[in-house]
């Protein structure tokens, strides 16, 4: 991808999630720390702009063959990941990758 600073900051966020989860669990507090690592979703970063409702759009055809799901993510994909992460009381210190299978296909 050649996005060195972006990829390094994403790795740092994943590590921070695990460190916070570990430190908070050691105090006995019942606070869970998890994160979501999104793949390609419509945003100003990926689409370059948004409309008056702050919504961005991506062409599905551009991702066919690049992402196993053959499309970028959408609001429902992210919402279901958030609900799963928030609702699963046994999940702690984890990063949920919501990328349509991209990291599997890329061998990451």
């Amino acid at each position: 991808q050649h996005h060195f600073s972006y990829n390094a900051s994403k790795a740092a966020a994943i590590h921070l999630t695990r460190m916070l989860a570990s430190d908070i669990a050691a105090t006995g507090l019942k606070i869970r720390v998890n994160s979501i690592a999104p793949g390609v979703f419509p945003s100003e970063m990926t689409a370059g702009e948004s409309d008056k409702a702050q919504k961005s759009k991506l062409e599905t055809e551009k991702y066919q063959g690049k992402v196993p799901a053959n499309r970028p993510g959408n609001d429902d994909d992210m919402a279901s990941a958030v609900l799963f992460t928030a609702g699963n009381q046994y999940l702690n210190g984890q990063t949920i990758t919501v990328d349509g299978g991209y990291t599997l296909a890329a061998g990451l």
Side-chain angles (χ1 to χ4, degrees), residues 4-34:
F4 299 108
S5 58
Y6 175 79
N7 291 346
S9 66
K10 203 167 202 178
I14 291 168
H15 187 63
L16 180 62
T17 297
R18 295 182 61 79
M19 288 176 56
L20 284 171
S22 176
D23 284 358
I24 292 171
T27 68
L29 294 173
K30 296 193 182 290
I31 299 171
R32 298 175 301 112
V33 180
N34 296 295

Side-chain angles (χ1 to χ4, degrees), residues 4-99:
F4 299 108
S5 58
Y6 175 79
N7 291 346
S9 66
K10 203 167 202 178
I14 291 168
H15 187 63
L16 180 62
T17 297
R18 295 182 61 79
M19 288 176 56
L20 284 171
S22 176
D23 284 358
I24 292 171
T27 68
L29 294 173
K30 296 193 182 290
I31 299 171
R32 298 175 301 112
V33 180
N34 296 295
S35 63
I36 295 174
V40 178
F41 278 79
S43 70
E44 289 183 357
M45 185 177 92
T46 57
E49 61 184 23
S50 60
D51 62 19
K52 291 180 183 180
Q54 295 297 309
K55 295 293 288 179
S56 299
K57 294 184 178 35
L58 291 173
E59 298 297 324
T60 300
E61 296 78 28
K62 182 178 176 183
Y63 297 95
Q64 291 180 349
K66 293 182 180 178
V67 176
N70 288 319
R71 63 174 178 81
N74 60 40
D75 294 349
D76 290 338
D77 297 322
M78 187 56 65
S80 62
V82 169
L83 291 173
F84 167 74
T85 304
N88 187 319
Q89 299 297 307
Y90 200 58
L91 194 67
N92 194 17
Q94 302 303 307
T95 298
I96 306 301
T97 303
V98 184
D99 68 353

